[in-house]
Amino acid sequence: DSGVTQTPKHLITATGQRVTLRCSPRSGDLSVYWYQQSLDQGLQFLIQYYNGEERAKGNILERFSAQQFPDLHSELNLSSLELGDSALYFCASSPTTGTGETQYFGPGTRLLVL
Amino acid sequence: GNSVTQMEGPVTLSEEAFLTINCTYTATGYPSLFWYVQYPGEGLQLLLKATKADDKGSNKGFEATYRKETTSFHLEKGSVQVSDSAVYFCALKRRDDKIIFGKGTRLHILP
C-alpha cells in the first residue's frame, strides 16, 4: 500500500459525458502527478501540481483539467468524453519536487467510455 | 526530443535465469532515471533509481547503472523468481519535472 488513494476504482460512462477522478496523496506529500495508461499510448504523463500550483504539463488534452486543493487532494476532470479516453488513470505523489524525487503511485481508476 | 526506448516484450525466462531488460534514452541535460514495476492489477512501484552519471541503483536483487556515454540504464538481475513476473517501465525525469516513460516490458518467469 503506497498511501495514495484514488476514487472511484472503476467508472463506466457514455461518450460526451464528464467525470471527475479524485486523488489523495500520501500524508505530507506536496506534489501530485496524473498519468493515463492505455494499450496503444502506453503510460503518458498528464500534469503535475505542487502545493496547489501547476508545476509541469505533459500530454494533457484541452478537454481535461486538473486542480489541487488546499488540503492537497487533487481532482482530474475529463469532459466531452470519447471512446479513446477509456484507460487507466493513475495518480502519484511525492514529498516535494525535483528530478530525483520518488513518486508513489495509487491503485488507479479504470475508466470505460461506451 | 526526449524519449525512452525499452526492449519489446514479452520476455519469458525460466526461474533462476539471468535477466537483462534494455533501456536507452535521449534527453537534453541530465535527467534522473528510474525503473518502475507494475504487478497485475496494481499501480506502479519504484524499483530503483539513479540521479547522475555512473550512479548504480539497486533493490531486491535488481541493478541498473546510469551510463551517460551510451545513454543507457539497463535493468539486470542475476537470478529471477516467479514472483518477478510483472511489467517493467524505464523512465526519465527532466529538470522541468516532465516525466517520460518507456512502453514497458512484460516479464514472464516460468517455474
Side-chain angles (χ1 to χ4, degrees), chain A residues 33 35 37 40-45 48 55-58 88 90 94 96-108, chain B residues 30-34 36 38 41-46 49-51 87 89 93-103 106:
Chain A
Y33 308 78
Y35 294 88
Q37 186 177 35
D40 54 343
Q41 297 285 335
L43 193 61
Q44 299 276 323
F45 166 62
Q48 178 202 359
R55 172 86 176 113
K57 213 164 185 175
L88 198 49
F90 286 109
S94 65
T96 57
T97 188
T99 52
E101 281 278 291
T102 298
Q103 294 175 55
Y104 298 88
F105 281 75
Chain B
Y30 302 96
S32 291
L33 301 173
F34 301 81
Y36 282 87
Q38 185 177 28
E42 296 183 16
L44 278 72
Q45 299 173 28
L46 177 70
K49 68 179 183 182
T51 57
V87 181
F89 292 90
K93 193 175 190 205
R94 300 172 359 178
R95 296 225 173 262
D96 62 0
D97 281 345
K98 289 190 179 175
I99 302 122
I100 298 165
F101 280 85
K103 291 192 180 298
R106 187 175 296 277

Side-chain angles (χ1 to χ4, degrees), chain A:
Chain A
D1 184 355
S2 66
V4 178
T5 59
Q6 290 186 248
T7 55
K9 260 189 115 160
H10 302 277
L11 199 46
I12 301 175
T13 187
T15 54
Q17 294 298 305
R18 173 190 167 94
V19 296
T20 298
L21 312 184
R22 183 188 167 104
C23 169
S24 293
R26 292 186 327 150
S27 176
D29 283 0
L30 298 178
S31 269
V32 170
Y33 308 78
W34 286 98
Y35 294 88
Q36 180 193 58
Q37 186 177 35
S38 61
L39 281 174
D40 54 343
Q41 297 285 335
L43 193 61
Q44 299 276 323
F45 166 62
L46 297 178
I47 197 164
Q48 178 202 359
Y49 278 82
Y50 174 67
N51 205 19
E53 302 284 328
E54 184 183 302
R55 172 86 176 113
K57 213 164 185 175
N59 301 321
I60 189 165
L61 299 171
E62 283 196 14
R63 299 183 285 109
F64 296 1
S65 64
Q67 54 184 324
Q68 186 179 28
F69 294 87
D71 67 353
L72 301 176
H73 90 272
S74 178
E75 292 181 355
L76 179 67
N77 299 297
L78 316 176
S79 61
S80 303
L81 284 167
E82 301 175 0
L83 295 178
D85 297 328
S86 296
L88 198 49
Y89 291 84
F90 286 109
C91 163
S93 74
S94 65
T96 57
T97 188
T99 52
E101 281 278 291
T102 298
Q103 294 175 55
Y104 298 88
F105 281 75
T109 292
R110 187 172 292 280
L111 174 66
L112 181 59
V113 182
L114 301 175

Side-chain angles (χ1 to χ4, degrees), chain A residues 37 41-43, chain B residues 4-11 21-22 35-36 38 44 86-91 101-107:
Chain A
Q37 186 177 35
Q41 297 285 335
L43 193 61
Chain B
V4 174
T5 303
Q6 288 181 237
M7 60 192 291
E8 299 249 347
V11 173
I21 301 178
N22 290 338
W35 276 101
Y36 282 87
Q38 185 177 28
L44 278 72
V87 181
Y88 292 79
F89 292 90
C90 184
F101 280 85
K103 291 192 180 298
T105 302
R106 187 175 296 277
L107 176 65

Side-chain angles (χ1 to χ4, degrees), chain B residues 3-72:
Chain B
S3 65
V4 174
T5 303
Q6 288 181 237
M7 60 192 291
E8 299 249 347
V11 173
T12 302
L13 296 171
S14 297
E15 207 166 21
E16 299 183 6
F18 183 87
L19 167 72
T20 301
I21 301 178
N22 290 338
C23 171
T24 56
Y25 67 91
T26 58
T28 51
Y30 302 96
S32 291
L33 301 173
F34 301 81
W35 276 101
Y36 282 87
V37 58
Q38 185 177 28
Y39 297 102
E42 296 183 16
L44 278 72
Q45 299 173 28
L46 177 70
L47 184 57
L48 53 83
K49 68 179 183 182
T51 57
K52 59 184 189 298
D54 300 324
D55 266 3
K56 180 190 272 190
S58 60
N59 185 27
K60 298 181 184 178
F62 290 90
E63 291 183 342
T65 302
Y66 190 141
R67 300 270 187 221
K68 190 165 173 297
E69 62 278 10
T70 53
T71 61
S72 65

